[in-house]
Amino acid sequence: MRRPRPARIALLAAVFSLAAGCSGEPPADRIFVGGSVYTVDLRRSRAEAVAVRDGRIVAVGSDEEIRGLAGRRTEVTDLRGAMLLPGFHDSHIHILIGVATKDDCDLLRLESQEAVEARLQECAQLAGYGPDRWVAGGGWSEWLWPDANPGKDVLDALFPDRPVYLVSSFGHAAWVNSRALALAEITKATADPADGVIERDAAGEPSGTLRDAAMMLVESKLPGRTAAQRLESVRAGIRLAHSVGITSVIEPGLDAALIEPVVALADAGELTLRTRASLSPIAWQPGTFDDGVFAFLEGRERWRRPGLDVDSVKVYMDGVIEYGTGALLEPYAKEALGVGPRFYTQADVDRYFARFDAMGLAIHVHATGDAGIRRALDGFAAMRKANGMSDNRHHIVHLQLIHEDDLPRFAELGVTATFQPLWAYPDPAAIELDVPMIGEARTQAMYPIGSMARSGARIAAGSDYFVTDLNPLHAIEAAVTRQDPYTNSGAVLGESERVDLATMVAAYTINGAWLMGLEKEQGSIEVGKRADFVVLDRDLFAGPASAINEAKVVMTVVDGRNVYEAARR
C-alpha cells in the first residue's frame, strides 16, 4: 500500500484565515498542533494543525501557522504525532434504540452454547421488566445452533414461570420460551404472519424461534420501560459511539415511541451524536405499507431538532440469507427454500419509492439478496422516471450478493452503496450459515466492495450494531484485507474485492456526511466546517493494513469540545 505524500503547505483557506487573524479576527478557542491531519478534502491533503472557533474550523495548516492564531485563552492540544481525522459517520446503526443495561440479558459475543447457557443462568436473577418479570435482551449468535434455530427447551428449564424474549445478533429472529408463546397465544394452529416465520418442530409445534414479523407477536406483549430507563439506555448508546470515534449516525427504524427519548435528549442539549433517523411506524421490522405509513411520515416535523434530521424512511426488500429469507435470483443450495420471499411486488415498490421521493424523503433500503437488490434498483429507476432527479440521498444497505449486471446501476441511478465492511471476511456466519445456504462460490462473492468502488458508485459504511461490533477501525481493516481483523490470519473472502485504506476512510467520513446531506458542514477537515474530529494514537497510513484496528481512539471531538477522552495511562 502506498503511503500518501504529506503536504506541509497550508491550505488556501487557512492562509485566508491567518490573514484575517492579523487584521483583527479574534483568536481561536482551541488549536490542535503537532499531529498528522488527514483532511479527506478533494485532494486528500495532509496538514499538521487545526484551529477552531465557535465550534467551526477556522484554519488548517502547519504548526507554525496555527500557533499564530492562539491567544491567551486559547486551549492548546498537542497531538504529539497522533492522527486527526474527521469524526466517523456510521451510516447504518441501531444505537439510539438504546444499548444493554443492567436489566437486559446480554448475550453478545458469546462463542459457544455453553457460554450462552451460563449467561442465561445469570440472567435468571434479572427482574427489570415489570410485574411479569420478563427476561429480555439478546445478541445470541445464530451460527451456534443448527439452522440458526435454538429451541425453547433450554429456556423452559431455566425459566419455567417467566416469559423470555431474546433477539438474535442479526436482529431478525427472537428466541422465546413456552411461557412467552402462551402469553402471545402462539400455538400449533397459529399461521405464520406475512413476512414472518414461526419455526416449528417435527410435530408442528412452535419450537421457540420466531423470525422477522413473527417476532412482533411476542414483542408486543413486552412491558414498556420507564422513561428514565429509556433515556439512560440511549445516553449509554451515545457514549459508546463516541468512545470509538463516531460523531454522526443514520439510525434506521425509529418509530414514534423509539424516537421520543432521542428528541428529549436533543431538547436537553444532550444529543451530541448527529443523527438522521430513517423512520418507520413499525420500528425495524418488515411490514406492509398503507395510508397510515404516509400519514406517519407526513407528520415527521414534530420530531425535527438541531442535530436530529427526520427526512428518511426505512424499507425492507427481503430478509437475511442466513435464514433463507433473502431474495435470490437463483435458488438456495437447500432446495426446499427456493429463491426466498419477495416482501413487495415490483409495482408496489415503484409506487412507494416514487411517493417517498416526492415527499422529500431519503429511502433507506434493506436488501441482502441479489433479487432484493435488483427489485430496489428497479424501484429507483421507476422513481427517477416518474420524478426526475432529486437531491434526496437514497441508499441500499447490506448488499450481500449483487449481480454483476447491477453494479453499474448504483452510479447511474445516484444510489449510494452502504456496506457493513466488518462482514467482509470468512467469519463464523459465512462458514457455518452462508456456505450451506448458497454454496462456496456465491459466499466468496459476498460484499463486493471492490467491484462497487471500481464501478464509480459512492460507498458509505456502517456497523449494523448491535449485530456486530461498531468500531469503524475493525470494519476498515476487514474491507482492506478481507481477512479476520481480530487475528490477522485465516482465509480470505473474495480477495479481488479488497479496497484501499483511503476508500474506506472516505466511506466513514465524507461519504457518510454526503449521505446525510451534510457534506458542506462536516465529513472533512476544511475551513468553515464543524469541528467534529476523531484523534487516533497513530497514523493509519504509516503501518501495515493488518495493524489498522490496533489504533486506539484518544479523543472524540464534537463542535470543538471533547465528548470522549481515553483514560491516561
Side-chain angles (χ1 to χ4, degrees), residues 209-389:
T209 301
L210 307 173
R211 305 205 188 281
D212 289 318
M215 298 165 65
M216 302 302 290
L217 300 175
V218 171
E219 186 172 312
S220 63
K221 304 299 180 181
L222 285 171
R225 290 184 165 188
T226 67
Q229 286 174 322
R230 293 165 64 202
L231 279 172
E232 182 48 40
S233 184
V234 176
R235 286 190 186 102
I238 293 171
R239 291 193 296 269
L240 179 60
H242 289 330
S243 74
V244 294
I246 296 171
T247 58
S248 299
V249 298
I250 299 179
E251 173 92 14
L254 291 181
D255 61 15
L258 290 171
I259 202 170
E260 283 179 5
V262 184
V263 172
L265 290 179
D267 288 341
E270 295 183 47
L271 186 61
T272 55
L273 193 63
R274 305 194 196 283
T275 300
R276 164 165 275 189
S278 290
L279 300 169
S280 171
I282 51 173
W284 65 90
Q285 296 302 321
T288 301
F289 289 104
D290 56 25
D291 289 341
V293 171
F294 298 107
F296 168 83
L297 294 167
E298 286 166 352
R300 66 187 185 275
E301 285 299 322
R302 66 189 185 273
W303 297 311
R304 192 184 305 278
R305 298 290 188 280
L308 175 58
D309 171 78
V310 290
D311 291 325
S312 182
V313 59
K314 174 72 179 291
V315 180
Y316 276 85
M317 284 295 105
D318 60 3
V320 292
I321 289 173
E322 291 76 13
Y323 297 162
T325 56
L328 302 183
L329 293 171
E330 299 294 333
Y332 280 88
K334 294 186 176 182
E335 293 183 5
L337 295 174
V339 293
R342 274 63 171 163
F343 285 1
Y344 306 105
T345 67
Q346 188 65 60
D348 281 344
V349 172
D350 297 352
R351 177 167 54 89
Y352 297 147
F353 281 18
R355 185 164 177 183
F356 290 145
D357 182 63
M359 293 171 68
L361 290 161
I363 304 170
H364 183 139
V365 181
H366 165 117
T368 63
D370 47 12
I373 293 164
R374 178 168 291 178
R375 183 151 292 186
L377 289 169
D378 288 349
F380 284 122
M383 176 199 77
R384 295 299 190 202
K385 183 176 181 180
N387 298 351
M389 292 299 293

Side-chain angles (χ1 to χ4, degrees), residues 85-90 93 95 237-247 249 273 463 465 469-474 476 508 533-536 551-557 563-565:
L85 293 163
F88 292 132
H89 290 62
D90 190 311
I93 186 171
I95 202 161
I238 293 171
R239 291 193 296 269
L240 179 60
H242 289 330
S243 74
V244 294
I246 296 171
T247 58
V249 298
L273 193 63
S463 62
Y465 177 89
D469 195 306
L470 76 166
N471 188 336
L473 297 174
H474 297 322
I476 289 170
Y508 266 104
F533 312 139
V534 57
V535 178
L536 305 177
K552 305 297 181 187
V553 175
V554 174
M555 184 186 307
T556 306
V557 178
V563 293
Y564 169 79
E565 190 168 2

Side-chain angles (χ1 to χ4, degrees), residues 133-158:
R133 292 176 59 83
W134 279 78
V135 175
W140 51 273
S141 298
E142 285 83 348
W143 53 87
L144 298 180
W145 286 270
D147 299 321
N149 189 9
K152 62 189 175 184
D153 294 347
V154 170
L155 298 180
D156 287 347
L158 286 169

Side-chain angles (χ1 to χ4, degrees), residues 408-569:
R409 300 181 70 197
F410 285 78
E412 292 166 3
L413 293 168
V415 175
T416 297
T418 299
F419 287 96
Q420 283 60 65
L422 188 51
W423 302 350
Y425 76 95
D427 67 356
I431 302 304
E432 302 296 334
L433 298 178
D434 290 312
V435 172
M437 280 288 186
I438 58 175
E440 181 69 28
R442 282 189 287 183
T443 298
Q444 284 294 319
M446 295 192 310
Y447 311 114
I449 306 175
S451 294
M452 188 65 74
R454 291 187 290 273
S455 78
R458 179 178 280 104
I459 294 173
S463 62
D464 203 15
Y465 177 89
F466 52 94
V467 175
T468 41
D469 195 306
L470 76 166
N471 188 336
L473 297 174
H474 297 322
I476 289 170
E477 181 174 322
V480 173
T481 67
R482 304 288 292 199
Q483 194 173 34
D484 187 337
Y486 303 104
T487 66
N488 301 319
S489 63
V492 171
L493 183 70
E495 184 173 358
S496 65
E497 297 301 337
R498 286 171 169 161
V499 291
D500 63 19
L501 176 56
T503 295
M504 291 314 302
V505 171
Y508 266 104
T509 55
I510 191 63
N511 290 354
W514 186 92
L515 194 54
M516 294 177 70
L518 296 172
E519 72 279 9
K520 295 180 181 179
E521 290 285 301
Q522 59 200 56
S524 60
I525 310 297
E526 298 182 82
V527 170
K529 289 194 173 184
R530 292 166 172 160
D532 292 2
F533 312 139
V534 57
V535 178
L536 305 177
D537 67 354
R538 68 195 71 184
D539 188 332
L540 297 180
F541 291 90
S546 60
I548 290 170
N549 71 341
E550 294 174 16
K552 305 297 181 187
V553 175
V554 174
M555 184 186 307
T556 306
V557 178
V558 172
D559 285 333
R561 298 188 300 274
N562 288 7
V563 293
Y564 169 79
E565 190 168 2
R568 296 181 182 274
R569 294 182 179 179

